[in-house]
Amino acid sequence: MALVPCQVLRAAILLSYCSILCNYKAIDMPAHQTYGGSWKFLTFIDLVIQAVFFGICVLTDLSSLLTRGNDSQEQERQLKKLISLRDWMMAVLAFPVGVFVVTMFWSIYIYDRELVYPKLLDNFIPAWLNHGMHTTVLPFVLIEMRTTHHQYPSRSCGLAAVCTFAVGYILWVCWIHHMTGVWVYPLLEHLSPGVKIIFFAAVTIIINILYLVGEILNNYIWDTQK
């Protein structure tokens, strides 16, 4: 038996994301006042995704508890829809986007932090909040994958959804540059147009690979293929 019930873990993770989001939005940073606000940063979008996902997880747990021993067909049908939404979000958004944010951020940060997280931000964002946005996402999503089996969509549908998200965000970043003349991430300022295209293509490929990694890991943990 688990030392801490998975329902309690999900509720605790949800509360932590709510705290991170509230503290982040309370920071008076110049970047928050420019075109796109916080929504131009993938880190913030990922935090919202994770908070919504774990909110759905907690709602699913509560619904499952309330419908236990209940023979209502309608309630059972609604619960199945909620579970399907939870599993879809885990497969398409929570895992690939969350892992992508953590791995890409720290890889670039170690190489040259000024390309992704300038030292100036240390004056606005405390270290614990930085780790809350860029580190704990990975263990949280792995805990969820380990404690709950998620039914992945068909591979073609899943990859199509991931590609849609990736391309949508890339177009959003390009639109912000078109409107303001400034790239969201300093890294893009140093790339030529041709290299930018290669970079965006590589980003799309990586996030698709992470989707496949999540599917394989989920199958391995729960042995669904056997």
Side-chain angles (χ1 to χ4, degrees):
M1 181 179 294
L3 294 177
V4 180
C6 58
Q7 294 88 348
V8 176
L9 281 174
R10 291 193 194 100
I13 291 172
L14 174 61
L15 290 175
S16 70
Y17 276 123
C18 291
S19 174
I20 290 169
L21 281 168
C22 289
N23 279 277
Y24 178 75
K25 292 298 292 182
I27 296 174
D28 185 21
M29 285 199 307
H32 290 175
Q33 313 304 324
T34 57
Y35 187 84
S38 302
W39 291 97
K40 58 178 169 285
F41 301 113
L42 185 59
T43 292
F44 179 77
I45 294 173
D46 178 52
L47 287 175
V48 174
I49 288 173
Q50 302 296 332
V52 171
F53 168 67
F54 279 100
I56 292 174
C57 289
V58 171
L59 183 59
T60 302
D61 291 337
L62 291 174
S63 299
S64 179
L65 181 64
L66 294 174
T67 58
R68 187 174 299 171
N70 194 324
D71 295 330
S72 172
Q73 295 285 340
E74 178 61 22
Q75 288 184 349
E76 187 68 22
R77 188 170 64 86
Q78 294 300 325
L79 177 59
K80 287 181 178 179
K81 285 184 178 181
L82 202 55
I83 291 174
S84 296
L85 176 60
R86 178 201 67 187
D87 292 349
W88 185 88
M89 278 204 69
M90 175 66 171
V92 173
L93 295 175
F95 184 88
V97 177
V99 175
F100 177 84
V101 166
V102 173
T103 54
M104 285 295 289
F105 174 83
W106 287 113
S107 297
I108 299 174
Y109 185 97
I110 291 171
Y111 174 74
D112 184 357
R113 67 169 294 176
E114 294 298 319
L115 297 176
V116 67
Y117 192 82
K119 196 171 180 63
L120 175 66
L121 292 178
D122 291 341
N123 298 323
F124 299 95
I125 303 176
W128 72 267
L129 186 56
N130 180 29
H131 285 291
M133 297 187 297
H134 297 116
T135 305
T136 58
V137 173
L138 181 58
F140 284 168
V141 79
L142 289 176
I143 287 172
E144 171 61 22
M145 180 169 281
R146 180 61 184 86
T147 56
T148 305
H149 173 247
H150 298 274
Q151 185 67 43
Y152 269 60
S154 67
R155 185 166 292 180
S156 58
C157 290
L159 290 174
V162 170
C163 277
T164 299
F165 175 86
V167 172
Y169 181 70
I170 290 171
L171 292 175
W172 172 231
V173 169
C174 292
W175 175 255
I176 292 172
H177 177 261
H178 172 73
M179 295 297 293
T180 65
V182 178
W183 288 104
V184 174
Y185 302 102
L187 168 66
L188 297 172
E189 301 282 359
H190 302 277
L191 304 180
S192 65
V195 176
K196 282 188 182 73
I197 293 174
I198 296 173
F199 177 77
F200 288 143
V203 163
T204 304
I205 292 171
I206 290 171
I207 201 168
N208 276 271
I209 291 174
L210 290 175
Y211 171 86
L212 296 175
V213 169
E215 182 183 41
I216 293 169
L217 185 60
N218 182 71
N219 288 338
Y220 174 77
I221 292 174
W222 296 97
D223 202 20
T224 55
Q225 292 185 351
K226 181 184 292 184

